[in-house]
Amino acid sequence: MNEAWPQEIDIAIVGAGPQALTLAVRLLQKKNSLSHRFLAIDPAGAWLERWRRQFSAYEIPHLRSPAVHHPDPNPFALRAFAESRSQGLVPPYDLPETRLFEDFCGDVIRRWGVGERVLPAQVERLEPFSRGQQQRLGLTLTGGRFLMAKRVVLAVGGGAPRLPSWAKTQPPVYPPERLLHAGQVDLRRLKQLNERALIVGSGLTGAHLALGAIKRGAKVIMMARRSFYAKLFDADPGWLGPKYLNGFQAEPSWEKRWQMIQSARNGGSLTPAILSQLRRFARAGTLSFYEHCEVQSVQWQGDAWRVTYVQSGSRQRLAHLSVHRIWLATGTVIDARGWPLLSEISEHYPAPTVGGLPVLDQHLRWPGCPNLFIMGGAAALQLGPAARNLFGGRLASERIAPALLGKTS
Ligand SMILES: Cc1cc2nc3c(=O)[nH]c(=O)nc-3n(C[C@H](O)[C@H](O)[C@H](O)COP(=O)(O)OP(=O)(O)OC[C@H]3O[C@@H](n4cnc5c(N)ncnc54)[C@H](O)[C@@H]3O)c2cc1C
């Protein structure tokens, strides 16, 4: 470890994505003297690397969320920043272009002086310690290095690829790049694709991959169990304020809250603009929508997949396809029960979970372990369906900051 890095720290934030950055600057806004008392820990050694990689790998031109959603505590800061730039906000909903958002985040990092606060390491183990009356958390980092923290916030994103059962059991007799989850695809590495590609999933990621493949000469089949449908934002804007959140937070049953999250997210959706772009390609014959279809099995045959799928409708029908490449844009699933970082914590402090989400307290603390906090999608039972988005980072920071700053028990 760099000698400058302490072996003890007040606050360790695991992860350095947009959610972690939102919390870090929120803490500094409330208490500037914290600037040397917290660290973010991320293998990238820099803020927002995974975010940047995802946007570049899928060649995403702009965000889905409007300009008020970003890591700075002032909601209008991005809009003000945009006024001095050539990159812009895409009308009519002022969606920040990817480059603008990244430059703005760079500006946030500079203004708040947090550029040097990311320790380049993976946290491999988290364990509770008692020091007299005081509770601490021990973090084992890559290479066996060790850091003791008074308080820890997990901001690790934490979604695991959601794979259909046939993909999990596929014998590895095919070239590995011919069947990938979207999280493994990097369009920048692909030049020409004079072939047929099947993209499974009804969400925006599948659409970005479809556009990238078409640009490289591929004919694309987009397949989903449902109809492809358009929705402006990931979650209805009612979930970004009291309209729906009040009812959600008044709901005493965690199971019902979980159901509310599922129905609000309602699987993957496209934006209206992307859907009409895809429809243009469908009219031109480079893209086909296979709706209400589900892959049943696939078989690698020489240089292509033979795909057997079921088409639902009044009569279920089995059909076949031949494609050279399959991308699973089937999303990610957050199940904190499988997080290695929580295994020892769960042993010491078993916590109830619903659908894989832990039941945290109102400050997003792990039950029984008051110095461990969780933000991101795993905090959705408290924060609602937008927990994993940029807005969720703001909501989580508002809950966590007062507890970290000792303004509450
Ligand atoms: C393609 C794409 C586009 C999106 N667009 C939008 C959008 O427009 N608007 C919006 O609101 N949301 C959007 N989202 C949702 C998006 O996931 C979140 O907004 C954001 O990335 C979540 O931030 P995060 O900090 O929770 O997670 P991440 O960005 O995933 O960051 C988590 C970090 O934790 C680190 N980490 C994980 N485990 C460990 C460990 N053990 N030790 C140390 N570090 C660790 C990772 O390296 C990573 O850097 C988009 C998501 C995707 C995939």
Side-chain angles (χ1 to χ4, degrees):
M1 177 157 47
N2 181 332
E3 289 311 314
W5 293 112
Q7 289 171 1
E8 286 202 35
I9 191 81
D10 280 3
I11 299 168
I13 307 176
V14 185
Q19 294 239 355
L21 180 61
T22 307
L23 176 64
V25 297
R26 171 64 59 135
L27 290 173
L28 294 177
Q29 182 203 29
K30 301 275 175 218
K31 195 168 180 179
N32 200 258
S33 59
L34 271 183
S35 58
H36 291 282
R37 289 165 52 202
F38 85 90
L39 276 177
I41 307 166
D42 195 299
W47 295 101
L48 267 51
E49 270 309 302
R50 186 186 279 174
W51 170 278
R52 256 192 288 274
R53 196 175 62 238
Q54 278 167 341
F55 272 70
S56 317
Y58 302 161
E59 299 177 340
I60 302 178
H62 60 75
L63 274 68
R64 188 175 194 173
S65 51
V68 286
H69 301 305
H70 54 71
D72 195 85
N74 171 7
F76 304 107
L78 173 51
R79 195 178 292 276
F81 182 81
E83 279 166 17
S84 62
R85 308 289 295 197
S86 54
Q87 308 96 14
L89 300 172
V90 179
Y93 298 103
D94 285 350
L95 310 180
E97 287 181 9
T98 302
R99 181 68 197 277
L100 170 72
F101 187 82
E102 286 182 13
D103 288 352
F104 170 73
C105 288
D107 184 62
V108 171
I109 292 163
R110 258 189 314 278
R111 270 191 291 117
W112 292 95
V114 293
E116 304 299 315
R117 302 309 295 164
V118 186
L119 175 64
Q122 170 103 6
V123 180
E124 290 178 346
R125 191 169 164 201
L126 186 61
E127 53 193 320
F129 276 90
S130 294
R131 229 188 229 174
Q133 294 297 317
Q134 295 170 329
Q135 281 195 342
R136 295 281 185 273
L137 288 164
L139 297 94
T140 305
L141 312 182
T142 350
R145 293 173 301 173
F146 189 80
L147 179 69
M148 191 74 95
K150 283 188 188 156
R151 267 122 351 136
V152 171
V153 183
L154 295 188
V156 293
R162 182 186 284 119
L163 295 176
S165 53
W166 58 265
K168 287 186 205 155
T169 53
Q170 204 52 35
V173 292
Y174 56 91
E177 77 283 1
R178 296 293 165 157
L179 171 61
L180 295 175
H181 183 267
Q184 301 167 293
V185 178
D186 190 338
L187 288 171
R188 294 168 297 178
R189 292 207 202 114
L190 301 167
K191 295 209 162 54
Q192 271 311 107
L193 289 177
N194 297 318
E195 56 180 39
R196 271 187 314 281
L198 169 65
I199 300 176
V200 180
S202 63
L204 199 52
T205 297
H208 287 304
L209 294 181
L211 294 174
I214 291 169
K215 196 164 112 188
R216 287 162 176 79
K219 290 218 166 191
V220 171
I221 294 159
M222 290 184 75
M223 184 181 285
R225 285 181 301 199
R226 61 184 309 156
S227 307
F228 289 90
Y229 79 109
K231 197 165 80 166
L232 273 171
F233 307 114
D234 219 8
D236 184 296
W239 284 107
L240 311 183
K243 186 173 170 197
Y244 296 155
L245 278 180
N246 282 356
F248 179 79
Q249 272 142 17
E251 172 54 62
S253 156
W254 300 110
E255 285 75 14
K256 284 201 186 130
R257 287 197 192 193
W258 192 83
Q259 289 299 346
M260 289 162 96
I261 296 163
Q262 306 313 309
S263 51
R265 293 198 71 85
N266 190 20
S269 62
L270 306 168
T271 61
I274 293 258
L275 185 54
S276 38
Q277 215 177 335
L278 293 173
R279 285 198 173 123
R280 276 199 297 278
F281 284 114
R283 282 194 293 275
T286 38
L287 181 133
S288 312
F289 290 113
Y290 281 42
E291 300 185 315
H292 305 285
C293 291
E294 184 170 7
V295 173
Q296 199 175 62
S297 62
V298 300
Q299 216 182 359
W300 182 251
Q301 294 184 333
D303 68 342
W305 290 106
R306 180 179 152 87
V307 179
T308 305
Y309 64 96
V310 188
Q311 194 168 31
S312 60
S314 49
R315 254 176 349 113
Q316 289 222 331
R317 198 169 68 84
L318 263 192
H320 303 282
L321 264 178
S322 174
V323 294
H324 301 99
R325 187 180 294 270
I326 304 176
W327 288 336
L328 300 170
T330 41
T332 56
V333 57
I334 293 182
D335 187 343
R337 290 169 300 189
W339 289 7
L341 278 188
L342 287 175
S343 65
E344 273 155 277
I345 299 292
S346 306
E347 255 172 50
H348 283 83
Y349 310 106
T353 56
V354 176
L357 302 180
V359 175
L360 306 171
D361 78 1
Q362 56 161 335
H363 292 287
L364 312 187
R365 285 181 290 216
W366 188 263
C369 185
N371 47 354
L372 176 63
F373 300 77
I374 301 199
M375 60 193 308
L381 288 177
Q382 281 288 358
L383 304 179
R388 61 167 77 185
N389 293 78
L390 296 170
F391 175 74
R394 182 179 300 264
L395 280 183
S397 303
E398 282 164 8
R399 303 278 198 107
I400 296 175
L404 281 180
L405 298 170
K407 293 207 176 123
T408 178
S409 57

